Amino acid sequence: MRGWLSWAERSLSWADRIDALNRLAARLARWALLLMLALGTWNVLGRYVGLAVGRNLSSNALIEGQWHLFDLMVLLALGYALQTDDHVRVDVLQSRWSPRRQRRVELATTLGLLLPFVLVVLITSVAPTLRSWQLWEVSPDPGGLPRYWVKSLIPLGFLLLGLQGVAQAIRLLHGRPPTSHDHGGEG
Amino acid sequence: MEIEALGWVITLEPGEILGPGMFLALVVALLSGYPVAFGLGGVAVVFAALAMALGVIDASFLAALPQRIFGIMGNLTLLAIPAFVFMGAMLEQSGIAERLLETMGRLMGRLRGGLALAVVIVGTVLAATTGVIAATVTTMGLISLPAMLRAGYDKSLATGVIAASGTLGQIIPPSIVLVVLGDQLGVPVGELFVGSVIPGLLMSGAFALYVVVISALRPELAPPLDTTGLPPLTASGLVNVLAAPLILILLVLGSIFFGIATPTEAGVLGAVGAMALAAAQGGFSRAALRQVSDSTVRTTAMVIAILIGSTAFSLVFRGVGGDVLISDLLLQLPGGRTGFLAVSMLVIFALGFFIDFFEIAFIVVPLLLPTARQLLGPEGLLWLGVVIGANLQTSFLTPPFGFALFYLRGVAPEEVSTGDIYRGALPFIALQLSVLLLILFFPQLVTLLPSLASAAAG
Amino acid sequence: RIRRADEVKAGSALPLVRWRMATSWPHSLDTIFGGAETISRRVREMSAGRFLIQPFAAGELVPGLEVLEAVQNGSVECGHTASYYYLGKNPALAFGTAVPFGLTAQQQNAWLYEGGGLEAIDRLYSDFGVRSFPAGNTGAQMGGWFKRPLEGVASLQGLKMRIPGLGGKVMAALGVNVQVLPGGEIFLALDRGAIDAAEWTGPYDDEKLGLNKAARYYYYPGWWEPGPTLTALVNLQAWSRLPSEYQAMFAAACHEANGLMLSRYDALNATVLQRLIKGGTQLKFYGEPILQAAREATDQILADSAKDATFKRVYEQWRSFRQDVFAWNRVNEFSYTRFAFGEAKGAP
Ligand code: NA
Ligand code: NA
């Protein structure tokens, strides 16, 4: 009995740590968003200012930089959006169930839908990412950026998503709501 | 699978079972209440495993999945989503949007339904800046839903008018959706834009008319804005409130129409412009920026997750031969032109319940194309493109799986139930269907402007 | 599906093989997608329906620029694409399609089939577990659509042009502000003037994108793509499992697709060009000064790339072939074409 309790405590504290990790990722994602907007503005203005001063201020590298930041933002935030329950649900039936039944179904779908999906994406995305690193793959377009690190964002983002799923499964197993209540408030 | 019996061989294509099976399983997965994105992805993975066990696909087939995800990540047009969501959230956070909507509501006189009418108008204007449904619906939801609820609107009417006006972005040019359709059909995109102007305006006109009629018939649904406590509307106050949004609309629309920026870049300009305007009106702070960035990041992750889930779903659907099933169905239709149109419209409508527009454009349009070219001729393709656009707009609103409804659900406050949103969509679906029928029976509504334009050019 | 048993058994000496073919093209580019369809149709006919290849448009299975990766990782057995899309993985793959101031369609075939080209390209592809077959050619392309006429090299400075790949690199070296936009955004960007110029392929495909409505001046020649080869890729493991009869059919079908696409493009472009001119399109020659400057920039870029040993090996072999075939074609082809449809009458 004592072993069970300490396991529960330990696993719940791991779930909290995963939450904290995804909040950290979200913080990076917010910075990526602001940088993306700044870069996008520069790309438009740069075309015109550049024409006036006779230099190319916009380039493919900057355009590609914009979508790399977009990718960074989206993939870093996948797990965070699960934590904050922002992923859209069809809650027609769910809203009529008892909390106990809701938790059971949530656990079953986390284990049966989310985690297998994450696992397949992780398994299939690692090999092409490694190949891209081996080739030091770059963009085929003039002045383009390296590709290998953007490809790494797929396994990274899904790892964060999968970890969040595990954290929620742990809480559901212990009969608690899937997310801890203390999100928000960090800068 | 081949079964031999009594001198006959029955060939059962696994796709004939697995394809429809996937849709069935998806319905169950979604009804479980689990996030749509991972319902799509999870069902895909489960059926991929089934298909592997039956020898229909190899394990290596799934290696295409990260490539498709990478394709979504490299799709420059999707950058418009965070930009427009950010713009909407910033306008909301700084109170600019609310003041705009309320002012426009007051401007419509003490008209009942004035706020809803303002939503249709603002929605039409936003539609003229982007074609990304997800961005338009979430933006409108963030901007106008709180304002309407505070005014005491019926929740269904409020959400219905927002979801419907939000989908206008698809049919009113410029529209990324129409660009994709033009690419798939091989129709010049410019003509598709011109051709969809009248149908688009018909739609927003129908919405406006409905709002006027329903608020006359049932005043309690759309109470007039209570302006007793407020200072009277002065001309200078009006200019003050209108200036900010008009500058922003000019910035976004203007930069597209005057060729300063692509629609995607215009979204970025709009986001930065919204920040500047919020700052000018004193509604900007570090905390506000953090709040806005946070909701933008979460909303964008939600939308892209749905795209990723649906790309997994449609990959496996193809892998088990579900696409062949659909094309066989279309090719064996009786009734020539009418039969083809009726069934293809039904198929597109039905698929719109389940999968994203881009996926439909990729799965269905190529299957329709050869038959369509034969039956309608090359000139008919332009018309067909607009009709498909109008049809898909309808299906985005269809409960229980209309994507516009999901996006709105994602940004609506707790007090609004999913049932409210579903009920609210119904009248607008009927309105869209009538416009769809109108352009089906009167192709001139589509072809008139392009023919005038080309006559003027020739 | 229900059929008679004896029907099914007839002609079943060869195994039933189903392949998937990922392509880089949308259905709407029917000529170039037609290359994949030709291969599919011919192997089906030759094998009496036992060897079936289903071509998929870009995005149906994988995005258009991910075909090599898909064939490599085995998610499809084969693909139809252009080698130069993958120069980010290996720059020398550019020679498999086209290089600025490189070979015409006929010379490209001569190099690939009989001049050691295919061996050189397949040596590159062997790193990816893939082999290649020439399977289509667009012929010399056009040099793009411009909103305003060019006035010499200086007018390229700061010009915003949509042009990908090596051609884009050369243009960038000449001062062009090179922008790479997705296919679907080209029309809008050009029409509204967000960019000043855009290149796609030739009259038939460009008209379908509506580029003639967005810009008036149609420049020639497309010196960065004088005869680009489209390529069928096959996963090496899938190839080795294929019965030798089917291997022969596949190779023959690719050969046929290679020739047929070129014929189609030449026939279609000839018709559409006349229609474009009637519609107000103005044809413009790039002019010697720009072509000279572009050639010098190209030589510099290729020389820089040749610091890499793999690139150098392919480049030097290719360059010496180009020198010889240019010398020969100057004598036979050029003297004839110059007189028969050259400056005197045919030129618009
Ligand atoms: Na629009
Ligand atoms: Na080209």
Side-chain angles (χ1 to χ4, degrees), chain B residues 115-359:
Chain B
L115 264 184
L117 212 53
V119 164
V120 176
I121 292 169
V122 174
T124 308
V125 171
L126 280 183
T129 67
T130 176
V132 184
I133 293 226
T136 321
V137 171
T138 45
T139 306
M140 295 279 298
L142 285 168
I143 293 177
S144 49
L145 190 52
M148 290 169 90
L149 293 179
R150 258 195 299 282
Y153 265 63
D154 173 65
K155 286 173 196 157
S156 290
L157 180 62
T159 50
V161 79
I162 290 170
S165 304
T167 60
L168 284 172
Q170 159 152 304
I171 195 91
I172 293 179
S175 150
I176 292 161
V177 162
L178 287 176
V179 171
V180 173
L181 261 180
D183 178 51
Q184 289 288 312
L185 285 170
V187 175
V189 173
E191 288 191 15
L192 213 49
F193 277 10
V194 179
S196 59
V197 166
I198 294 180
L201 291 180
L202 276 177
M203 289 238 184
S204 65
F207 296 168
L209 194 67
Y210 171 76
V211 166
V212 170
V213 170
I214 194 80
S215 40
L217 292 179
R218 302 190 52 194
E220 73 280 8
L221 295 185
L225 206 58
D226 180 17
T227 52
T228 44
L230 301 169
L233 211 58
T234 63
S236 71
L238 190 64
V239 170
N240 236 347
V241 171
L242 283 178
L246 280 183
I247 290 172
L248 209 53
I249 286 161
L250 265 177
L251 182 68
V252 175
L253 266 183
S255 62
I256 295 175
F257 281 106
F258 297 114
I260 297 166
T262 62
T264 306
E265 293 169 336
V268 174
L269 286 183
V272 175
M275 251 190 287
L277 287 168
Q281 306 207 347
F284 186 82
S285 64
R286 229 187 113 94
L289 182 62
R290 190 196 166 278
Q291 190 89 41
V292 167
S293 313
D294 196 59
S295 77
T296 305
V297 162
R298 278 156 35 194
T299 306
T300 309
M302 175 266 284
V303 174
I304 302 297
I306 294 183
L307 277 177
I308 291 177
S310 97
T311 209
F313 186 86
S314 75
L315 173 70
V316 177
F317 188 64
R318 262 176 207 291
V320 302
D323 55 332
V324 180
L325 200 67
I326 294 180
S327 90
D328 285 354
L329 190 80
L330 284 173
L331 286 175
Q332 290 163 7
L333 290 178
R337 189 188 142 107
T338 316
F340 164 77
L341 276 174
V343 172
S344 53
M345 285 303 118
L346 274 175
V347 167
I348 290 177
F349 184 78
L351 283 177
F353 285 38
F354 299 100
I355 51 183
D356 177 75
F357 168 81
F358 289 98
E359 303 292 334

